[in-house]
């Protein structure tokens, strides 16, 4: 009897050990070699930074779909496709041409435009220089000048100070609201209904340098609305000081000359004979970059689904050929989705597949505002009520500034306890049993100023009441720069993080009950 009792005590331990060995077998399929191979391709020049609406983004989506197919994942969009087109709308203020006195200038190099007007032509034979554009009681440069329907040039910063250092507006050394507010003078000039505003400051040149040809396009979900609401019909063309001085030279003046004269009192606007021709306005284009979905069906609990996701898009390529590899952001997360899909698929082929189904998703347009995940939760292929958890993998390949001079064996675990007490417990047990990595919860603090819990794709699932986790290795100096390259990836740590996510998912997929939703923390 005692012997039988001893055997009964040993059996659960043997079963647990055997079950752990099964998990380890498939986790070990996730390797540095395979992760490096995927990432080297996805972050290569051929994929051009995987930009939304660009060829590189389409190549990345196809790459993910091809591998999902090779793993035996099921295409579930219309029962025959891995692609869920995301209805996107690209809105951009474009400049077809811009010239002053028959000299052409280039948008993004010599000037940039702020405006919301429909595409139209603007022509003028004269430009009215209105100085600082001030309309203050003590200093009004437009008191007797009608600029309605005119092209005007304004020095869009500062105000005149006398030789004693006192503002001609306030009468003391303090700047007026016209200088303190970034928008006041332009807003007040717009009320006078000019045709077009040319604005210059020394900061325009530095702004153009920072933009470096980056598109000013906004990408949003296409809501199908026909009529666009125009918010700023008068375009503001921010020109560098060289162009402004070129215009003023026709009146034998310059910005420096004007500033000196303005110190002595209000200067009347100058009408300059100068020919301006331009065509510019808002252009809209529909895009359909897809989410890439592949389903691994479970067994007895296959109607319940775990989402494993990571966005594949990044910042793309610029007109000058500069591209943003996005090796960490989020090539690393995309690779993790592929590696986990391969490992779980291998387990299923050998009869060790998960009880619950796992939906692997490469998400589109995260960099444009979490748009791919937002579109999915609004148009789910599998009912959200059947989705038991979302595991989001976004940047897991680097050592961040917080840990650079400390312990590199860590991962930021964000959001685990926000909706379910069990999700954090499952993760911590998987970590203790298999990986032993430091779980950093610092970004989980609701008072953490970066508020990262709200800034990646899991949040759209969490908003729908789905327990969600965000795994993240942290920020670094190469974030959103062309220097986010494969050679800087810490592959041993990246693979260790992938394995933690694998073990956590394995437990969620095979436990008797789905994760409880018992909290609503901020």
């Amino acid at each position: 009897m005692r012997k039988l009792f001893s055997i009964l005590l040993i059996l659960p331990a043997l079963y647990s050990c055997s079950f752990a060995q099964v998990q380890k077998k498939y986790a070990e399929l996730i390797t540095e070699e395979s992760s490096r191979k995927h990432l080297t391709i996805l972050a290569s020049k051929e994929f051009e930074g995987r930009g939304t609406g660009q060829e590189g983004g389409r190549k990345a989506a196809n790459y993910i779909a091809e591998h999902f197919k090779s793993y035996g994942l099921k295409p579930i969009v219309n029962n025959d496709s891995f692609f869920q087109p995301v209805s996107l709308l690209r809105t951009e203020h474009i400049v077809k041409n811009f010239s002053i006195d028959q000299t052409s200038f280039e948008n993004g190099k010599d000037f940039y435009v702020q405006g919301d007007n429909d595409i139209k032509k603007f022509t003028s034979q004269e430009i009215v220089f209105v100085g600082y554009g001030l309309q203050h009681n003590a200093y009004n440069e437009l008191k007797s000048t009608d600029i309605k329907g005119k092209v005007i040039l304004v020095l869009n910063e500062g105000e005149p100070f006398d030789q004693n250092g006192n503002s001609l507006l306030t009468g003391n050394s303090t700047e007026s609201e016209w200088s303190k507010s970034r928008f006041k003078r332009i807003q007040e000039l717009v009320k006078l209904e000019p045709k077009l505003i040319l604005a210059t400051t020394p900061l325009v040149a530095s702004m153009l340098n920072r933009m470096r040809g980056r598109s000013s396009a906004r990408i949003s979900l296409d809501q199908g609305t026909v009529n666009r609401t125009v918010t700023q019909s008068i375009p503001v063309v921010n020109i560098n000081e060289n162009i402004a001085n070129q215009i003023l030279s026709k009146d034998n003046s310059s910005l420096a000359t004007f500033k000196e004269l303005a110190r002595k009192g209000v200067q009347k606007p100058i009408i300059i004979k100068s020919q301006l021709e331009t065509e510019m306005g808002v252009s809209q284009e529909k895009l359909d970059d897809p989410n890439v979905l592949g389903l691994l069906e479970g067994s007895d609990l296959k109607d319940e689904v775990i989402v494993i996701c990571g966005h594949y898009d990044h910042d793309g390529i610029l007109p000058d050929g500069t591209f943003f590899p996005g090796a960490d952001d989020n090539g690393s997360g995309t690779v993790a989705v592929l590696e986990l899909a391969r490992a779980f698929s291998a387990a299923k082929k050998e009869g060790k597949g998960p009880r619950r189904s796992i939906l692997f998703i490469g998400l589109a347009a995260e960099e444009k505002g979490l748009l791919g995940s937002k579109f999915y939760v609004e148009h789910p292929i599998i009912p959200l009520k059947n989705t038991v958890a979302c595991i989001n993998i976004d940047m897991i390949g680097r050592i961040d500034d917080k840990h650079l001079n400390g312990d590199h064996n860590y991962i930021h675990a964000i959001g685990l306890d926000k909706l379910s007490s069990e999700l954090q417990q499952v993760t911590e047990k998987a970590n203790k049993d298999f990986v032993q990595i430091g779980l950093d919860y610092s970004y989980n603090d609701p008072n953490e100023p970066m508020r990262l819990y709200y800034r990646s794709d899991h949040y759209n699932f969490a908003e729908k009441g789905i327990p969600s986790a965000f795994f993240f290795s942290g920020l670094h100096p190469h974030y959103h720069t062309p220097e986010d390259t494969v050679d800087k990836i810490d592959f041993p740590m990246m693979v260790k993080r992938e394995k933690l996510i694998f073990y956590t998912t394995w437990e969620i997929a095979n436990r008797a009950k789905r994760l409880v939703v018992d909290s609503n923390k901020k």
Side-chain angles (χ1 to χ4, degrees), residues 37-272:
K37 182 177 179 180
H38 280 309
L39 191 54
T40 300
I41 293 170
L42 287 167
S44 68
K45 179 64 180 294
E46 180 186 354
F47 282 69
E48 298 180 338
R50 308 184 304 279
T52 300
Q54 296 184 344
E55 182 62 27
R58 287 186 284 273
K59 286 183 177 180
N62 287 330
Y63 183 88
I64 297 166
E66 288 166 5
H67 282 82
F68 281 179
K69 183 178 180 179
S70 73
Y71 303 152
L73 299 186
K74 182 179 178 181
I76 60 169
V77 182
N78 299 321
N79 295 315
D80 64 357
S81 176
F82 292 106
F83 299 120
Q84 181 192 38
V86 178
S87 299
L88 300 170
L89 188 66
R90 176 188 173 96
T91 303
E92 183 175 16
H93 196 285
I94 65 169
V95 179
K96 294 187 175 182
N97 57 71
F98 184 91
S99 67
I100 296 175
D101 296 324
Q102 300 183 335
T103 299
S104 294
F105 297 98
E106 184 179 341
N107 184 27
K109 180 180 178 182
D110 303 305
F111 65 90
Y112 65 93
V113 184
Q114 295 166 295
D116 193 36
N117 59 289
D118 292 325
I119 294 178
K120 62 181 290 188
K121 293 181 178 180
F122 297 85
T123 61
S124 180
Q125 300 302 312
E126 60 185 31
I127 297 172
V128 182
F129 177 53
V130 296
Y132 289 107
L134 300 171
Q135 299 175 65
H136 188 274
N137 289 337
Y139 197 99
N140 191 336
E141 295 169 286
L142 289 133
K143 188 174 183 179
S144 57
T145 302
D146 181 9
I147 60 171
K148 184 174 182 179
K150 305 288 181 63
V151 173
I152 65 170
L153 169 63
V154 61
L155 178 53
N156 192 25
E157 70 165 13
E159 60 192 66
F161 282 75
D162 64 21
Q163 293 179 344
N164 298 318
N166 294 320
S167 166
L168 299 191
L169 282 69
T170 64
N172 55 48
S173 60
T174 304
E175 288 182 330
S176 74
E177 61 193 79
W178 290 82
S179 291
K180 293 177 181 178
S181 170
R182 288 178 57 199
F183 308 109
K184 184 176 178 63
R185 79 184 72 207
I186 294 295
Q187 289 171 342
E188 294 301 319
L189 286 169
V190 165
K191 292 177 183 178
L192 301 180
E193 301 181 31
K195 180 189 295 184
L196 180 144
I197 299 173
L198 302 174
T200 189
T201 76
L203 294 177
V204 171
S206 59
M207 178 65 76
L208 288 168
N209 186 55
R210 286 199 300 271
M211 291 168 66
R212 290 185 60 210
R214 288 196 189 214
S215 171
S216 61
R218 303 186 308 276
I219 295 179
S220 58
L221 289 179
D222 185 0
Q223 305 296 341
T225 53
V226 177
N227 296 319
R228 188 176 65 84
T229 301
V230 177
T231 58
Q232 184 177 327
S233 61
I234 300 170
V236 178
V237 182
N238 295 275
I239 60 175
N240 64 42
E241 291 183 300
N242 290 337
I243 299 175
N245 280 321
Q246 177 182 318
I247 295 168
L248 291 170
S249 68
K250 299 198 73 175
D251 193 67
N252 296 317
S253 188
S254 67
L255 293 172
T257 300
F258 164 75
K259 289 177 183 180
E260 281 302 312
L261 292 171
R263 290 161 63 92
K264 301 173 183 177
V266 176
Q267 302 298 302
K268 291 183 178 180
I270 304 170
I271 298 175
I272 301 168

Side-chain angles (χ1 to χ4, degrees), residues 442-463:
S442 58
Y443 285 128
N444 215 35
D445 185 342
N447 297 316
E448 208 288 321
M450 296 194 69
R451 294 174 59 81
L452 291 178
Y453 173 63
Y454 306 93
R455 290 173 52 188
S456 193
D457 286 306
H458 64 283
Y459 185 67
N460 284 318
F461 288 85
E463 276 201 312

